[in-house]
Amino acid sequence: DVAERLFEAARALVPRIRALAPQMERARKLDDKLIEDMDAAGLFSVLVPKRWGGAGLGPREVNRIVEIVSTGDCSLGWVTSFYILHNWFLCRFPIETQQELYKDRSSVRIAAVFLPPGEAKPVQGGYRITGRWGYATGMLHASHAFVPVMIGEAAHWAMVRREDIEIMDDWNMSGMSATGSVTIAAKDVFVPEKWTYEIPKLMAPTGHGGMIHAEEVHQYPFTALMMAPISLTIGALDGAVELAKERIKTGKRIGVPIIDSPLSRIRWAQAFEAAKLMRLLRDAATEEVLERVRNKIPPTLEGEAAMQIHLVTIVHGVKDALRLLVDGNGSSGYRTGDQILRSSLDVGAIATHSLGADYDSTMDRHARWVHGIGLGPTDPVPR
């Protein structure tokens, strides 16, 4: 079974990931050899069609792989999710672009940025791209980047080679610090027309170059894959619950075994149950979207909003559960390099990201959408 082989490959890497995590955090970048080995194991080609040598799997498998990897390190889980998803986007570009990029590999490591749009000056055969973009997650190990530009009135992604990109190492964070999320810039870089594509079409279920592929995932809207990055929070909580269980069984506090403390046992039980509840919500939300896809129900604003509400609930539910475990460890839980503390800081950073965002404004916006009030003047364009 292809999926189980990939799950096992991810599980086998977890001890190594955990051992490398403190070093990667200090270096503010992921380990080079680890990324290469994950690529070679096929962990970034989960959604790539079999015709290009990928696994041709779907959202459930992506969620699980990101979850497993993140029991070792959240930064690595975050980058893994994007490398997987960006291959899905690439497989929607024109067929000649896909043939060119996948001719000697089954996955392409691509960073991507959504805002702000850069300049695309039309020239013979393509465009001259100029711009500066922040938060290019995964750029330090990528061969290309998708950067946003305006072509006419439409937002496009233009694919730029690593050698044509200037990288500014400015990602200094107390959480998610190993992602290597940098600012990138391009100045008058030529990009062929076949390396550009309208972003709304890349998000849509049909009307793109991925329609040539037999795998059903290439007829899904992006909403079906939105739980992939957030699955890292569930993996982080799994890892913390596992570690906390061992500490409770073997540790002492002021000479008294922790296992004898009812409050410590209660905190652990609450975190344990939170992990299960968040996974159930993630899986139910994914199945909800897939059911609409199977019934050929077009994506709606209300559907997008419901998925976003589920997503924010998961992130903040995990964040609160991790705080329970950190606070239960006392002052010793704040030692530099402590895995539970690091996971808590990482998920805290994710909770402020545009995918999790400010809780109040995000929940209000998507509640409005579910209630049918519609888009406000400052709302993002839905997928």
Side-chain angles (χ1 to χ4, degrees):
D1 180 79
V2 175
E4 190 52 48
R5 178 184 62 78
L6 291 172
F7 298 157
E8 184 52 41
R11 283 191 288 264
L13 285 167
V14 169
R16 180 178 165 194
I17 294 168
R18 287 179 176 171
L20 286 169
Q23 169 189 322
M24 295 191 296
E25 184 177 43
R26 289 191 298 271
R28 295 187 300 112
K29 70 185 290 287
L30 301 174
D31 183 76
D32 297 344
K33 183 64 165 57
L34 178 59
I35 292 294
E36 294 296 336
D37 290 347
M38 292 177 70
D39 203 347
L43 294 178
F44 305 144
S45 61
V46 186
L47 298 176
V48 175
K50 292 177 182 177
R51 72 190 297 165
W52 304 138
L57 299 173
R60 301 179 190 92
E61 292 81 12
V62 177
N63 293 347
R64 183 67 182 131
I65 287 169
V66 172
E67 186 182 308
I68 293 169
V69 169
S70 301
T71 63
D73 182 65
C74 290
S75 290
L76 182 60
W78 189 243
V79 173
T80 297
S81 72
F82 287 138
Y83 281 163
I84 293 171
L85 293 179
H86 297 165
N87 273 279
W88 181 78
F89 285 122
L90 179 56
C91 289
R92 297 180 157 217
F93 272 64
I95 182 63
E96 58 268 30
T97 305
Q98 297 183 45
Q99 289 171 330
E100 179 182 355
L101 271 293
Y102 290 109
K103 65 182 178 183
D104 55 2
R105 53 188 163 185
S106 61
S107 65
V108 183
R109 298 202 296 262
I110 307 178
V113 184
F114 277 99
L115 291 169
E119 178 188 8
K121 189 183 302 180
V123 295
Q124 182 69 33
Y127 302 91
R128 288 281 177 183
I129 304 297
T130 297
R132 180 185 174 98
W133 307 275
Y135 306 110
T137 296
M139 190 67 238
L140 299 183
H141 293 95
S143 60
H144 299 76
F146 287 139
V147 298
V149 294
M150 294 302 294
I151 298 177
E153 297 298 316
H156 285 63
W157 258 344
M159 188 164 53
V160 183
R161 291 185 178 88
R162 164 70 179 264
E163 54 264 33
D164 293 326
I165 292 172
E166 180 187 359
I167 295 175
M168 282 137 279
D169 183 9
D170 57 0
W171 183 251
N172 294 284
M173 300 285 288
S174 60
M176 300 298 286
S177 56
T179 57
S181 299
V182 295
T183 294
I184 60 175
K187 186 175 182 180
D188 198 33
V189 173
F190 176 74
V191 173
E193 185 174 5
K194 65 182 179 180
W195 280 24
T196 66
Y197 215 89
E198 194 172 338
I199 293 177
K201 289 183 178 178
L202 290 172
M203 301 285 183
T206 59
H208 51 73
M211 298 301 294
I212 65 167
H213 300 306
E215 289 86 354
E216 192 178 65
V217 70
H218 296 287
Q219 284 85 54
Y220 290 173
F222 179 62
T223 309
L225 293 160
M226 281 175 59
M227 285 296 172
I230 299 310
S231 291
L232 80 86
T233 65
I234 297 171
L237 184 53
D238 282 343
V241 165
E242 174 193 338
L243 183 57
K245 184 178 181 180
E246 288 304 310
R247 288 181 183 176
I248 290 172
K249 286 168 60 177
T250 61
K252 292 185 177 182
R253 189 175 295 131
I254 320 177
V256 178
I258 299 175
I259 192 68
D260 291 340
S261 165
L263 292 179
S264 294
R265 297 195 301 268
I266 290 170
R267 282 179 181 272
W268 181 86
Q270 288 175 315
F272 172 80
E273 198 66 3
K276 185 167 186 176
L277 288 171
M278 295 306 103
R279 180 176 289 103
L280 287 170
L281 177 55
R282 189 270 316 274
D283 292 347
T286 301
E287 293 304 321
E288 190 178 300
V289 176
L290 296 182
E291 181 65 20
R292 291 202 298 269
V293 170
R294 282 190 290 268
N295 290 323
K296 302 189 185 307
I297 300 173
T300 63
L301 190 63
E302 291 77 13
E304 168 86 3
M307 181 62 90
Q308 290 278 2
I309 290 172
H310 298 328
L311 186 151
V312 175
T313 300
I314 290 168
V315 175
H316 285 266
V318 169
K319 184 181 74 168
D320 292 345
L322 285 168
R323 288 305 314 174
L324 273 175
L325 295 176
V326 170
D327 292 346
N329 280 332
S331 58
S332 63
Y334 287 84
R335 286 197 182 101
T336 301
D338 183 89
Q339 184 178 334
I340 296 177
L341 176 63
R342 188 171 63 247
S343 294
S344 179
L345 291 171
D346 288 344
V347 172
I350 292 297
T352 63
H353 188 277
S354 58
L355 288 177
D358 168 75
Y359 182 85
D360 297 323
S361 61
T362 301
M363 294 297 270
D364 171 63
R365 179 171 69 234
H366 293 104
R368 281 192 283 108
W369 293 7
V370 169
H371 280 290
I373 297 173
L375 289 167
T378 62
D379 288 348
V381 176
R383 284 169 280 272

